[in-house]
Amino acid sequence: MEKEVQNKIFEEILSEHRGVFFKIAKTYCKDETDRQDLLQEMMINVWQALPRYKSDFKLSTWLYRICLNVAISSYRKNAAVPLHIPIEDDDNQTIVEHQEGDKQQHLQMLEKFIDELKDLDKALMLLYLEDKSHSEIAEILGISPSNVSTKVLRIKEKLKQRFSKLDK
Amino acid sequence: MEDNELKVLWASYNEKVDKSLQISQKLLDNSSDLRVKTLLNSMKPTKIALVIVGLVWVFFIDSLVIDTFGEASLFFTISAGLQSVISKIAIGVYIYQLVLINQIDLTQPLVSTQEKLSTLKATSLGIARVLFLQLPLWSTFYLHDALFVRENLLWLGFQLTITADLTWLAVWLFFNIKYENRHKKWFKWLFDGKDWTPVIQSMEVLAELKEFKKN
């Protein structure tokens, strides 16, 4: 693949799927500086893998695999960083102010819940919330679709328990 | 809370992400200047350097053993020979790590890729275990027959204690440096620091992966 073509496709991926990069970075990395590094590392890896991309593969599956693989490895590298940033963060403050009390509490709970999950469960939950089908999640993670269903059910059950405690 | 409500809630979380998208726009604009430094790229040069240094060391030791064979004391020949064997095992593991680095493809599914990555890091602890076996050899290579005389009894007693202690320590470390002991004080003391933290964490991930693959 010529460099010019590679750059062009890369720019297209960034403009169409940039949300994937940022959602994963935000889920796995709470520190702003580390997050920028993680974003860069994900982008580099996508760029480097581009010549090997086969169109018979769904682009989003391919992209999620790279970004999650990088995020999980880098996250481990920066594990000393606190897992959860309080909602009062500067970055979040403006939005939080506009949210209703209950919703804000639920959102805070969801964020905290995801933060506390193990790396791979976190990826599973992220893909589930992104409305990916069980078979696509299975393809990204490398486990069977039935295993995905079981795990999603288990995690959702835990989450429901959390929410029910909050609602009481 | 139902599935739909959960996904609606997640969508509102995405609003926060959108906010940070604007902040990070600069990063996208500069995408052509991305620094080519990835996790795997950064690992390779160190491993290659260690293999080269190891090979030079082993070549030096082997030459010494061959050149002095029959002339040097048996203690020296055996100590240096064993030292060379242990170093060769360590070099073998470093080469295995390099093969793993080349095999890792981040476009592959998470479970298999993370398994390779974690194995890659965890084998560094295996290298440490093997290298500790060299400890007693540093207390025997200088011995020779002329030292084993009655006049040296006190010194020989001291020498025996040191060699025995180092042998015990080396064997004990070989069998006890393992994931299960990661919370023990001596383990933390021995493997403290930023170089070892990812190694220990990768072992945790390997255990996690085993669990994750189960239905």
Side-chain angles (χ1 to χ4, degrees):
Chain A
M1 188 183 279
E2 273 181 42
K3 211 152 207 174
E4 246 176 64
V5 181
Q6 190 177 348
N7 280 341
K8 198 169 173 273
I9 299 172
F10 182 61
E11 292 294 335
E12 276 169 22
I13 290 176
L14 286 184
S15 64
E16 278 174 42
H17 300 273
R18 60 179 189 165
V20 172
F21 291 91
F22 290 102
K23 277 173 214 166
I24 294 174
K26 199 156 172 69
T27 305
Y28 280 89
C29 213
K30 296 296 169 192
D31 179 83
E32 181 57 35
T33 321
D34 289 341
R35 193 154 62 221
Q36 295 295 325
D37 284 349
L38 175 59
L39 277 168
Q40 255 198 11
E41 195 164 342
M42 288 194 289
M43 287 176 194
I44 295 164
N45 279 287
V46 168
W47 190 81
Q48 285 178 334
L50 258 180
R52 285 178 282 131
Y53 173 70
K54 290 181 185 116
S55 54
D56 49 338
F57 239 118
K58 208 172 166 187
L59 183 67
S60 66
T61 305
W62 180 82
L63 202 58
Y64 269 111
R65 275 183 180 177
I66 300 177
C67 292
L68 283 168
N69 265 321
V70 173
I72 291 174
S73 325
S74 305
Y75 167 70
R76 235 176 286 139
K77 209 168 53 181
N78 304 321
V81 173
L83 291 182
H84 181 68
I85 283 191
I87 205 93
E88 294 77 27
D89 223 26
D90 286 349
D91 196 16
N92 301 330
Q93 190 60 43
T94 333
I95 298 128
V96 168
E97 278 170 9
H98 295 296
Q99 282 167 347
E100 303 146 32
D102 268 4
K103 195 176 168 190
Q104 185 191 323
Q105 249 190 328
H106 281 148
L107 190 58
Q108 202 171 356
M109 173 72 88
L110 179 63
E111 257 194 281
K112 194 171 185 297
F113 180 79
I114 294 172
D115 267 352
E116 287 166 3
L117 290 174
K118 288 175 181 170
D119 286 356
L120 289 160
D121 286 337
K122 206 179 269 189
L124 180 86
M125 194 61 185
L126 179 80
L127 293 166
Y128 163 75
L129 290 170
E130 283 296 311
D131 226 5
K132 298 282 165 206
S133 68
H134 284 192
S135 59
E136 194 177 354
I137 298 176
E139 241 186 299
I140 295 168
L141 297 179
I143 53 173
S144 67
S146 68
N147 200 353
V148 171
S149 310
T150 315
K151 287 186 190 308
V152 166
L153 262 175
R154 252 182 240 153
I155 295 176
K156 263 172 27 187
E157 199 49 50
K158 274 190 209 167
L159 187 59
K160 273 180 191 168
Q161 281 175 7
R162 284 275 189 99
F163 277 122
S164 63
K165 272 184 202 164
L166 187 78
D167 291 336
K168 272 176 195 171
Chain B
M1 179 167 279
E2 294 309 312
D3 281 15
N4 282 347
E5 291 177 83
L6 205 58
K7 284 174 184 173
V8 167
L9 195 63
W10 179 248
S12 64
Y13 172 77
N14 285 345
E15 284 172 26
K16 294 203 291 180
V17 178
D18 283 341
K19 175 90 176 170
S20 61
L21 281 182
Q22 291 159 19
I23 301 163
S24 308
Q25 185 63 43
K26 233 195 264 176
L27 192 75
L28 293 184
D29 296 339
N30 297 330
S31 58
S32 54
D33 301 324
L34 296 174
R35 62 193 163 92
V36 186
K37 187 176 177 290
T38 59
L39 176 73
L40 291 173
N41 279 347
S42 62
M43 275 180 174
K44 250 188 195 171
T46 322
K47 307 282 178 204
I48 293 171
L50 285 167
V51 169
I52 294 169
V53 170
L55 286 174
V56 171
W57 172 246
V58 162
F59 178 75
F60 169 71
I61 299 276
D62 282 352
S63 312
L64 215 59
V65 170
I66 293 164
D67 286 350
T68 60
F69 193 76
E71 291 165 26
S73 101
L74 201 61
F75 286 102
F76 176 81
T77 308
I78 292 174
S79 303
L82 284 175
Q83 156 84 249
S84 168
V85 170
I86 292 169
S87 300
K88 279 171 193 155
I89 294 171
I91 293 169
V93 182
Y94 280 128
I95 292 171
Y96 169 67
Q97 286 187 327
L98 279 168
V99 172
L100 273 182
I101 290 175
N102 282 322
Q103 275 181 352
I104 290 169
D105 179 358
L106 295 175
T107 67
Q108 293 302 305
L110 260 70
V111 168
S112 57
T113 310
Q114 292 304 317
E115 215 159 25
K116 277 182 189 160
L117 263 169
S118 300
T119 308
L120 169 69
K121 290 179 191 168
T123 46
S124 296
L125 206 64
I127 294 176
R129 284 175 70 201
V130 170
L131 289 178
F132 273 122
L133 285 177
Q134 293 181 349
L135 272 177
L137 304 173
W138 293 101
S139 71
T140 53
F141 74 93
Y142 50 83
L143 297 176
H144 53 89
D145 293 345
L147 290 168
F148 293 86
V149 289
R150 190 177 288 269
E151 289 76 26
N152 282 340
L153 219 57
L154 191 68
W155 178 84
L156 281 172
F158 178 70
Q159 169 68 41
L160 189 70
T161 312
I162 294 290
T163 306
D165 284 350
L166 287 176
T167 307
W168 178 84
L169 183 65
V171 173
W172 188 86
L173 284 172
F174 182 79
F175 287 109
N176 284 283
I177 293 176
K178 53 186 174 188
Y179 175 66
E180 290 80 1
N181 288 332
R182 70 194 182 282
H183 295 308
K184 303 232 166 104
K185 256 187 184 171
W186 64 267
F187 192 98
K188 284 182 182 168
W189 177 78
L190 215 54
F191 300 106
D192 189 30
K194 64 179 170 65
D195 289 338
W196 287 106
T197 310
V199 175
I200 310 301
Q201 279 165 355
S202 68
M203 296 177 90
E204 277 167 32
V205 174
L206 276 176
E208 257 179 59
L209 280 164
K210 210 172 156 189
E211 197 58 37
F212 191 79
K213 282 197 282 187
K214 284 185 198 162
N215 216 336

